[in-house]
Amino acid sequence: HILHLYQSFHPTRGGIEDFLADLTRELSNATEQIVLTASESVRESDECIGGARIIRASSFGRFFTPFCPTWPRWIARIAADIVHIHLPCPMAEAAALMAKPRRLIVSLHNDYVRPAWLAALWRPMHHLTLQRAARVVVSTKEYGDTSPALRGNDRSNDRSNDRSNDFSRYLTRTTKVVTTVSTIPYGIRLADYASRPSCADDLRERYGAPLVVFLGRLCYYKGVEVLIEAARTVRATFLIIGDGEWRTRLQRQAATAPNVRFLGALCEDDAIAHLHAADVFVLPSTYRSEAFGLAQLKAMACGVPVVSTNLPGVAWVNRDGETGLTVAPRDARALADALNRLLHDAPLRARLGRGARAWAERFSVER
C-alpha cells in the first residue's frame, strides 16, 4: 500500500509528473496505490487514473509550493505502508514530518536552487526529511555526489559496490550515516520513439533544413535565453517546443532572431515527430534544477545527437563524444560552436546519432 505525494499530477505535464504517471502505471498490478496531490482550488476530488487512486486535496494558493493543510491528515488517514514523496516540494516535506509515516521514501528529483534565500531558509527542514527517510533516490550517481544536501564529509564510509548503484552518504555536518541513497535513472517507453513518423519529412520540408529542436518547459533553468543568443551565429532553423512562465520574455528576445520559432506545447505524438525531424537536439540548461534531462533521452531514442550542458546528471545522460557534445552552461559562444560543428559534419552527426540510439536502449521504463 503506497502513497505517492507531489504537488501536481496528470493532466499536468512535466518531468516529475510524467515519471510519476509511468511509475503508478508500472506498479498498478502489484500494489495498491494512492497519489495525493494539490487541487487547483479548495475543492477536493477523488478519482482513478491508470490503476491508482488520485486524491486532489484542497489548496489555498501557491508560493513556490501549494499550501495544502490537509495533507498531514490525509497521510495519517490513509496509513500507507510506504509514503513516497517527490522533491522539490516543501509542502510534501512538511506534511511527511508532521504525519510521521511508518516508512518514508524520498525521490530527490533535483535540489532546491531558487530563490536562494528561500532554499537556505528551508534547508534545516529539508535535511531533517532526508534524515528520516528509509531511502533517498536520485536519478544519477553524479547528481547525488554533488548534491549539497547529500554531500558528506567522510567518503571512507561509502559502502557501494559494483553490483548496484547504491551508495551511502553523509548529510552535511554529520558524523554518521543517516540515510541510504540509491541511483535509479528515469526511463521512457522506447517503442514510442522507435519508428520515424511519416510526417517527419513533411516537417523538414515545412521548416527547412537543418533543424535544431528544443523541447521543455520555458523557465529560468532551461537556458533558452542562451540558446537564442547562440542561434544568431548558427545557420539553422530553431524550433522551441514547450510553454511556461518565461515564454513572453523569450519571444521578445527572439524578435531579432528570425531563425527561432516558438511552437508552444505539442501533444506527445507531434513532439516525437519533431524530434525525428531534427538534425540536432539541444538542451542548454543553466542550473542544477535540471538533474537529468528526460527530453534529451527522448531525442536519443529517435537517433538524434544532442548538444547539452555539462551539469551533473545531464552530462551523464549525454555522453560527450559518444551521444552528442557538452558545453559549459551559460556560454552562448561555446553552444553555437558545438551546434555548428555538428551541423557541418554529417559523418560525426551520424556516428553520434547511432551512439545516442544505442545508449537510449538502456533506459526502458520497465527497467
Side-chain angles (χ1 to χ4, degrees):
H1 191 180
I2 300 173
L3 173 63
H4 304 281
L5 191 58
Y6 187 57
Q7 62 193 21
S8 54
F9 189 68
H10 180 84
T12 301
R13 296 295 305 275
I16 298 177
E17 291 86 354
D18 289 354
F19 163 79
L20 187 51
D22 281 336
L23 180 61
T24 55
R25 189 183 301 113
E26 291 298 317
L27 290 174
S28 60
N29 293 328
T31 61
E32 182 181 351
Q33 297 179 90
I34 296 175
V35 176
L36 180 59
T37 187
S39 172
E40 292 296 323
S41 66
V42 296
R43 179 177 297 179
E44 293 188 343
S45 66
D46 196 332
E47 60 184 318
C48 184
I49 299 178
R53 179 185 172 194
I54 314 301
I55 299 172
R56 303 184 195 272
S58 300
S59 175
F60 296 85
R62 293 175 181 247
F63 181 68
F64 300 105
T65 188
F67 180 55
C68 300
T70 62
W71 275 6
R73 189 179 67 196
W74 275 111
I75 295 174
R77 181 189 305 174
I78 294 168
D81 300 306
I82 294 173
V83 171
H84 181 197
I85 66 174
H86 300 263
L87 304 182
C89 180
M91 189 67 225
E93 293 190 278
L97 289 173
M98 286 187 279
K100 298 180 180 179
R102 67 183 72 175
R103 193 167 183 84
L104 177 66
I105 304 294
V106 173
S107 280
L108 182 62
H109 296 280
N110 59 267
D111 289 315
Y112 292 105
V113 176
R114 287 180 56 174
W117 65 269
L118 190 57
L121 189 65
W122 187 252
R123 188 174 296 125
M125 300 293 285
H126 183 43
H127 283 186
L128 184 58
T129 304
L130 297 176
Q131 286 176 314
R132 291 189 177 178
R135 184 67 59 94
V136 175
V137 180
V138 293
S139 57
T140 69
K141 185 176 184 296
E142 287 71 14
Y143 198 85
D145 283 345
T146 58
S147 168
L150 297 175
R151 186 185 299 134
N153 53 17
D154 184 354
R155 299 299 185 187
S156 65
N157 284 271
D158 183 355
R159 291 180 170 83
S160 63
N161 55 56
D162 294 335
R163 184 175 56 84
S164 73
N165 281 327
D166 288 4
F167 57 99
S168 298
R169 284 292 179 262
Y170 288 85
L171 290 178
T172 307
R173 299 187 182 90
T174 61
T175 57
K176 63 179 181 178
V177 173
V178 293
T179 192
T180 301
V181 182
S182 294
T183 301
I184 306 176
Y186 302 127
I188 59 175
R189 299 188 178 280
L190 293 168
D192 294 344
Y193 305 89
S195 59
R196 181 183 173 95
S198 58
C199 59
D201 291 330
D202 295 337
L203 291 171
R204 291 178 62 83
E205 187 173 331
R206 180 195 307 173
Y207 295 117
L211 284 179
V212 177
V213 171
F214 166 88
L215 171 64
R217 184 178 161 204
L218 303 183
C219 59
Y220 79 91
Y221 66 86
K222 288 295 187 178
V224 178
E225 73 281 7
V226 182
L227 178 60
I228 293 170
E229 290 305 309
R232 301 181 193 281
T233 57
V234 179
R235 301 187 68 176
T237 298
F238 288 74
L239 302 181
I240 311 298
I241 303 172
D243 209 344
E245 57 270 27
W246 273 42
R247 180 170 180 172
T248 300
R249 72 165 71 183
L250 292 170
Q251 287 179 318
R252 284 200 299 263
Q253 180 189 357
T256 55
N259 59 333
V260 177
R261 302 186 62 169
F262 289 80
L263 305 186
L266 301 180
C267 71
E268 192 70 5
D269 287 345
D270 286 346
I272 292 171
H274 282 77
L275 291 177
H276 276 284
D279 293 282
V280 179
F281 181 82
V282 62
L283 187 72
S285 304
T286 52
Y287 292 91
R288 60 181 293 120
S289 298
E290 188 78 81
F292 190 87
L294 198 57
Q296 65 178 344
L297 187 59
K298 294 178 179 181
M300 291 178 188
C302 297
V304 180
V306 174
V307 174
S308 66
T309 51
N310 55 11
L311 292 168
V314 176
W316 180 81
V317 178
N318 181 28
R319 308 171 87 81
D320 188 56
E322 297 178 26
T323 63
L325 302 176
T326 61
V327 299
R330 295 179 289 278
D331 190 335
R333 177 175 294 182
L335 183 60
D337 289 345
L339 290 169
N340 279 321
R341 180 185 172 192
L342 275 184
L343 293 173
H344 294 145
D345 191 337
L348 175 63
R349 199 166 64 246
R351 177 176 68 80
L352 295 179
R354 291 191 297 270
R357 183 183 287 110
W359 176 242
E361 290 294 325
R362 300 179 57 176
F363 294 89
S364 70
V365 70
E366 296 83 3
R367 182 178 182 182

